[in-house]
Amino acid sequence: MSNIKKPYVIVLGNEKGGTGKSTAAMHVMVYLLRLDFKVGCIDVDARQGTLTRYIENRIRYNQTHEERLPTPVSKALQKANFDDVKQNEQDEKARFDEAMAELSDCDFIVIDTPGNDTFFSRVAHSYADTIITPLNDSFIDLDMLVRLHSNDPNNLRPSVYSEMIWEQKKNRLMRDKQPIDWIVMRNRLTNLYAKNKEEMHKILTALSKRVGYRLVAGFSERVIFRELFVQGLTLLDLQEVGIPLSMSHIAARQEIRSVLDMLQLPHLQKKLETAG
Ligand SMILES: Nc1ncnc2c1ncn2[C@@H]1O[C@H](COP(=O)(O)OP(=O)(O)OP(=O)(O)O)[C@@H](O)[C@H]1O
Ligand SMILES: [Mg+2]
């Protein structure tokens, strides 16, 4: 795998809370761990610490059960708290670089960011090979990508978040001569509002070229995600921990596989070639 970039950095981000970043981060990581990749993660949302707690719950699960569920090496970064903004930024950049260096032997580093704009989040985005932005099927979430006027796809302005991504794409290109693959992943899809779902698909597809992302279908709405968090488990662990797989679980695991396929991660493609 000498010609493949290591570590490959995947950032979960958007500037809206509760769209599924931390949940998706955990599922992506466990998927990669189960393929025997070495995975590290950085929680730059340590104040909320959802991903950190998810991993703590998983470690506790391992301590109290017989299984040894694969678990990522994890780092949590707290915001700096000096009076001076520049000093805060220097301190945060130095600690971010340190965490990245400590994880440099990983195949993948997954970074979970908060649902609002922070310095840590901007730095993390600028190091991404892939950014995954989970989006719920609502016009409020759509607003995070573009400012729409009267739902007319021809009458739009970029949102502050898409402007930030363009900025970080430029930074990445100048610093590393590398592009960023931006993925918008629809999450919590339901069949209840089929009309709305279809409308969102049309708009998101129409916007994809203009805003510069690739669109993927993500996870359906499933109550099980909440319960899994508490136990530190993912849908990819159910068999190992002895939970019988229902049709819904099987469909959910298939959704996760499809998302990972759509990411077109070079390591995975290489692994499949080698295996085949
Ligand atoms: N597909 C889904 N179906 C049902 N519930 C989901 C789904 N995805 C996420 N959730 C739930 O939604 C809540 C928010 O998810 P999560 O914490 O992953 O979002 P987030 O984007 O990381 O939030 P924040 O911006 O606050 O960090 C959690 O309770 C999670 O279990
Ligand atoms: Mg989160």
Side-chain angles (χ1 to χ4, degrees):
M1 292 198 189
S2 55
N3 55 346
I4 290 180
K5 179 182 176 281
K6 198 182 151 182
Y8 188 96
V9 180
I10 302 175
V11 173
L12 280 292
N14 65 23
E15 285 181 10
K16 186 169 177 298
T19 57
K21 295 179 285 296
S22 305
T23 307
M26 194 65 173
H27 280 78
V28 167
M29 288 198 292
V30 173
Y31 186 93
L32 296 170
L33 284 163
R34 288 198 173 279
L35 289 173
D36 283 335
F37 287 114
K38 182 154 193 220
V39 182
C41 66
I42 308 179
D43 186 353
V44 298
D45 189 12
R47 192 183 135 103
Q48 181 169 287
T50 308
L51 188 66
T52 307
R53 278 191 294 128
Y54 208 148
I55 293 167
E56 284 168 3
N57 295 345
R58 191 170 178 86
I59 292 170
R60 192 166 343 102
Y61 187 96
N62 274 340
Q63 286 164 348
T64 50
H65 294 75
E66 304 247 300
E67 290 85 17
R68 281 289 159 267
L69 300 173
T71 304
V73 186
S74 115
K75 311 255 166 222
L77 296 180
Q78 298 287 347
K79 277 179 88 164
N81 199 15
F82 299 103
D83 291 333
D84 180 57
V85 177
K86 268 271 150 295
Q87 195 179 359
N88 280 336
E89 292 188 355
Q90 272 169 9
D91 177 74
E92 290 182 3
K93 178 69 170 63
R95 283 186 293 119
F96 180 85
D97 288 347
E98 199 183 322
M100 292 288 277
E102 284 168 5
L103 297 173
S104 61
D105 64 331
C106 292
D107 298 302
F108 290 94
I109 299 178
V110 173
I111 309 180
D112 192 26
T113 67
N116 58 318
D117 178 33
T118 66
F119 179 74
F120 264 147
S121 179
R122 269 177 274 145
V123 173
H125 279 77
S126 83
Y127 281 90
D129 293 295
T130 294
I131 296 171
I132 305 174
T133 298
L135 199 76
N136 293 337
D137 265 357
S138 80
F139 285 94
I140 301 172
D141 271 29
L142 193 58
D143 202 50
M144 209 228 348
L145 288 178
V146 282
R147 294 281 141 85
L148 279 176
H149 299 286
S150 63
N151 293 345
D152 172 4
N154 296 313
N155 187 5
L156 52 89
R157 279 183 299 124
S159 68
V160 279
Y161 184 67
S162 38
E163 278 184 340
M164 190 275 273
I165 293 207
W166 290 345
E167 191 64 35
Q168 302 317 333
K169 280 185 175 180
K170 265 192 290 175
N171 287 340
R172 177 91 217 274
L173 208 54
M174 276 195 299
R175 195 188 54 227
D176 304 329
K177 312 274 176 292
Q178 291 291 330
I180 298 178
D181 188 16
W182 183 17
I183 308 286
V184 169
M185 182 191 100
R186 294 170 76 196
N187 188 26
R188 311 188 75 151
L189 295 166
T190 93
N191 288 325
L192 276 180
Y193 309 103
K195 185 103 192 76
N196 192 51
K197 190 169 161 184
E198 205 179 299
E199 193 67 12
M200 279 293 280
H201 181 75
K202 262 196 227 145
I203 297 179
L204 286 171
T205 307
L207 289 175
S208 132
K209 264 220 176 76
R210 289 180 68 176
V211 184
Y213 58 79
R214 293 197 290 128
L215 182 64
V216 315
F219 314 147
S220 302
E221 173 73 31
R222 297 181 198 279
V223 248
I224 193 176
F225 280 110
R226 264 168 237 268
E227 299 155 24
L228 290 172
F229 170 80
V230 181
Q231 291 191 283
L233 299 175
T234 68
L235 283 158
L236 305 164
D237 303 309
L238 300 182
Q239 239 165 345
E240 190 175 339
V241 304
I243 298 176
L245 289 187
S246 67
M247 288 302 281
S248 158
H249 294 152
I250 293 168
R253 291 197 326 178
Q254 193 47 48
E255 287 170 4
I256 295 162
R257 277 201 202 110
S258 305
V259 169
L260 266 293
D261 280 352
M262 288 295 294
L263 293 185
Q264 297 169 356
L265 301 174
H267 300 58
L268 262 67
Q269 290 179 343
K270 182 88 187 174
K271 193 159 218 159
L272 286 177
E273 276 167 29
T274 322

